[in-house]
Amino acid sequence: MNREIVIEAEELVKRYGKIYALKGVSFKVYGGEIYGLLGPNGAGKTTTIRAIAGALKPSQGYVRVFGLDSFRDKYHVRKRIGVVPELPSLYPELTIYENLYFIGRIYGLNRDRVKERIRVVSERLGLEKILHYKYGRLSKGFKRRVDIAAALVHDPDILLLDEPTTGLDVLVASRLREFIAELGRMGKTIILSSHYIDEAMNLSDRVLLLYNGVKILEDQPEYLRRILQLDKRVRIYLSRRLDAGEANMVRKRLEGIDGIDKIDVRDRIVELHTKKPVEIVRRVEDLLVELGIGIKDIDVIPPSWEDIFRKFVEGYEGIGGKCGPCPLAGAG
C-alpha cells in the first residue's frame, strides 16, 4: 500500500426525496489498499459504490478518483475502475468469451490486447476451459468469477466489489475471498462492500462502518475487533429431552467452564454465549459424552447487527468517555 490518495469522498450526501441514503460520509482510500465498506443491508454501501463509480450524482459533497470528480469526469474515471455489482449484469445469451471480448472493446482495447487480457484473467480465475459456455447457464459461483473477470479485463487500477460472495456456497465463497486477497497483494486498490463481518474484517486493511447512511467508524480491523468483542451463540441440539434434574446438573457443570458467559438449558437444547466458540464446543462435547448425553447437531450463531451497534455504543463510551461526539447520535 502506498500513501497516494486515490479515492476521496467529502461530506457525501445522497437523498431520494425525503429519504437519505448517505448522510455526510467522508473517507479517503490509499493506493493498493483493500478498503472495506461494512454494514447491514440498507446501510448505504451500494450507494457509496455507485457514487465512486460515477453512476449517481451526489445531492451534496463529492467523490474524487485520482483527483477527478467521479460524476462530472466519469468518462475518464471509469477507464480506471472495474465494477462488480451485487447482481449479475452480463448478457446471458452470450458466451463467457463473447461477454469479455465485448467489455474489453467497450473500454477501447484493440483486438490483440483484448485477447491477451481474456487469456490472463480467465487463467487467473479458472475460466480458460469454459470460455465457450453461455453466461446464463453458469452456476452462481462461476457467474461471480466471470463478473470479476469482466471488471478486470481492461486492467483497472481500482476494483469495486459490491457484496461479491452473497448467495455463494461456503467453498466457492472461500475461494473467491482468497482471490480478492491475491488481487490486493498484486497492488490493486479494492473497495469491498459486505454485510459479512468476518469477510470485511479478514480481508480489509481498513474498514468503514456504515449504519443507516451514517459513518460510524473508520479504522483498522484490529481496532474494530477490540471494540466489537461480541459473544457468539453456540446452540447444541441434544439427541433426547432432559428432565429437570439432568438440565440442572448440565447447567451447573457448564458454569464451571471458563469462557462461557450465558447458559440456557431447555428441553433438547443447550445454548451458551462465548467469545471462544471452537474451544468451548470441544469442552462441552467432552462434558456431554461424559454425562452420557448424545449430540444431534451444533450451530454457531454470529451476533446480529443490532448486537453489534449496541456494543459499539458501549465500546465508544468506554474509549472516549461519555460518548462525547458519539457518531450514532442523530443517526436516526
Side-chain angles (χ1 to χ4, degrees):
M1 182 175 67
N2 60 54
R3 300 309 294 174
E4 177 193 7
I5 297 172
V6 297
I7 301 172
E8 181 179 13
E10 183 66 29
E11 291 298 320
L12 189 61
V13 175
K14 183 58 185 177
R15 184 178 64 250
Y16 298 96
K18 295 182 179 180
I19 298 174
Y20 283 80
L22 292 173
K23 305 174 185 178
V25 174
S26 300
F27 59 89
K28 297 176 182 178
V29 180
Y30 300 98
E33 182 176 29
I34 298 181
Y35 188 83
L37 299 177
L38 178 60
N41 293 328
K45 304 187 300 298
T46 295
T47 303
T48 303
I49 291 279
R50 296 185 67 211
I52 296 171
L56 59 79
K57 182 179 180 180
S59 303
Q60 293 174 226
Y62 63 82
V63 180
R64 292 199 179 109
V65 179
F66 295 107
L68 300 173
D69 186 283
S70 66
F71 185 76
R72 288 185 299 179
D73 301 307
K74 55 189 169 186
Y75 175 77
H76 298 287
V77 167
R78 286 180 181 176
K79 288 185 175 181
R80 305 188 69 176
I81 285 179
V83 182
V84 180
E86 183 176 0
L87 299 175
S89 59
L90 299 180
Y91 294 100
E93 69 277 9
L94 297 183
T95 65
I96 296 172
Y97 186 93
E98 290 167 339
N99 267 296
L100 297 181
Y101 187 88
F102 178 69
I103 296 294
R105 294 291 282 165
I106 284 178
Y107 277 102
L109 304 184
N110 63 42
R111 292 176 181 175
D112 290 339
R113 179 61 174 159
V114 171
K115 291 177 181 179
E116 173 61 16
R117 287 300 301 163
I118 291 175
R119 183 189 66 78
V120 171
V121 299
S122 62
E123 286 180 0
R124 190 166 293 155
L125 284 159
L127 301 171
E128 68 273 21
K129 294 181 180 180
I130 61 168
L131 287 173
H132 62 286
Y133 284 29
K134 288 192 175 182
Y135 178 80
R137 296 187 177 183
L138 299 175
S139 66
K140 287 183 180 179
F142 273 107
K143 280 182 179 177
R144 220 59 185 132
R145 290 197 212 180
V146 178
D147 293 341
I148 293 177
L152 290 172
V153 74
H154 62 296
D155 198 17
D157 299 299
I158 298 172
L159 187 61
L160 308 180
L161 301 174
D162 194 1
E163 303 283 0
T165 62
T166 297
L168 302 183
D169 65 50
V170 174
L171 182 59
V172 174
S174 176
R175 288 175 178 168
L176 188 51
R177 290 179 187 122
E178 289 174 4
F179 180 69
I180 292 169
E182 180 187 340
L183 287 172
R185 290 190 292 270
M186 292 167 56
K188 293 291 183 186
T189 302
I190 298 172
I191 307 296
L192 172 65
S193 164
S194 180
H195 66 273
Y196 295 131
I197 300 166
D198 288 344
E199 177 172 274
M201 293 290 200
N202 292 334
L203 287 173
S204 305
D205 298 301
R206 288 187 300 140
V207 175
L208 172 63
L209 195 58
L210 284 171
Y211 182 69
N212 197 26
V214 176
K215 173 182 174 178
I216 303 301
L217 185 67
E218 177 190 38
D219 216 303
Q220 295 177 342
E222 292 75 16
Y223 180 77
L224 270 68
R225 284 193 182 97
R226 193 162 69 243
I227 293 177
L228 303 176
Q229 284 193 9
L230 291 171
D231 292 345
K232 291 187 178 180
R233 280 187 294 156
V234 176
R235 186 174 293 161
I236 301 171
Y237 299 89
L238 307 177
S239 59
R240 62 180 176 82
R241 188 182 303 274
L242 302 182
D243 61 34
E246 286 178 313
N248 189 49
M249 177 181 61
V250 169
R251 187 179 297 106
K252 286 184 176 180
R253 292 290 298 272
L254 290 174
E255 288 171 354
I257 298 177
D258 291 336
I260 298 179
D261 298 322
K262 296 179 183 178
I263 301 168
D264 183 21
V265 182
R266 63 187 188 279
D267 297 329
R268 297 173 179 263
I269 295 175
V270 173
E271 186 167 295
L272 47 89
H273 291 231
T274 179
K275 294 181 177 66
K276 303 179 287 184
V278 175
E279 175 186 335
I280 293 303
V281 164
R282 187 165 56 246
R283 296 183 66 181
V284 174
E285 282 182 310
D286 292 342
L287 172 62
L288 293 174
V289 168
E290 177 190 333
L291 296 175
I293 301 171
I295 297 173
K296 189 174 181 181
D297 199 4
I298 298 175
D299 280 340
V300 177
I301 304 167
S304 68
W305 279 105
E306 182 181 351
D307 295 333
I308 287 171
F309 287 105
R310 186 186 302 115
K311 183 69 174 182
F312 170 77
V313 173
E314 294 171 359
Y316 197 96
E317 291 175 350
I319 290 174
K322 283 295 180 182
C323 203
C326 176
L328 272 179

